[in-house]
Amino acid sequence: MRIVQAGVERLNEITPLFIKYREFYGQAPKPEASERFLRARLQEDQAIILLAEDEQSGKVLGFCQFIPSFSALTLNASWVLKGIYVIEEARRQLVADRMINHAKEMARAQGIGRMTVMTGESNEVAHGLYRSLGFSDDVDFRYFALKL
């Protein structure tokens, strides 16, 4: 398995996985809007998207998307995991682990001070994955959302 950073030229491979990720969380597919959203994030350098590929076939096995952020408290940059998806037939093969570990190496090399992730309250598989990779429950802050 190989982990690569994707650019706009890989949208035709990223978009179907992104749609599956959205559907997992109960969202409508919206292929055109999804493609536009991803294109904008990549063109504006507003996202880091990694792809996991099978080394032999080149088939894309999964993606993860990080969004750069900053903290006024730590005076440091951070990355927020805003989407991860692994195709059915590649699950239980440590694809997500490899992508996140690759992202951790990239982040450290760039001087990023923290990585965060939010996931569904009932997604116990994801909770276990993130904890196994060194993430911990945030006990210092509570997150709120405001729909506009």
Side-chain angles (χ1 to χ4, degrees):
M1 181 184 330
R2 158 178 68 230
I3 310 297
V4 297
Q5 186 169 348
V8 135
E9 75 284 351
R10 303 291 300 266
L11 275 175
N12 62 329
E13 296 166 284
I14 303 166
T15 303
L17 299 177
F18 184 76
I19 290 168
K20 292 282 190 193
Y21 162 77
R22 286 176 40 77
E23 289 176 327
F24 177 82
Y25 282 102
Q27 300 300 308
K30 298 187 178 181
E32 295 83 15
S34 292
E35 192 270 341
R36 280 193 308 274
F37 175 85
L38 291 167
R39 179 179 300 281
R41 300 297 72 75
L42 290 169
Q43 286 178 333
E44 300 297 324
D45 290 326
Q46 295 174 337
I48 298 99
I49 298 180
L50 301 180
L51 297 177
E53 303 174 326
D54 180 274
E55 282 192 84
Q56 313 263 277
S57 68
K59 180 178 182 175
V60 175
L61 306 173
F63 88 97
C64 64
Q65 174 183 232
F66 288 88
I67 305 297
S69 185
F70 302 92
S71 171
L73 298 179
T74 65
L75 304 176
N76 211 332
S78 64
W79 283 3
V80 181
L81 178 61
K82 294 301 272 185
I84 187 166
Y85 184 81
V86 175
I87 62 172
E88 279 283 328
E89 62 264 28
R91 293 184 185 163
R92 310 250 184 266
Q93 296 177 29
L94 302 177
V95 175
D97 301 58
R98 295 275 305 272
M99 288 190 293
I100 292 173
N101 282 328
H102 187 89
K104 284 167 40 178
E105 290 173 21
M106 286 177 62
R108 281 189 188 108
Q110 294 179 32
I112 303 300
R114 180 182 182 111
M115 293 175 84
T116 60
V117 61
M118 290 184 291
T119 189
E121 189 66 39
S122 64
N123 192 344
E124 293 297 330
V125 172
H127 300 175
L129 167 69
Y130 301 132
R131 288 183 184 119
S132 77
L133 293 171
F135 290 82
S136 58
D137 294 322
D138 190 331
V139 295
D140 297 323
F141 295 95
R142 176 170 279 193
Y143 294 88
F144 296 89
L146 173 64
K147 188 173 182 176
L148 302 174

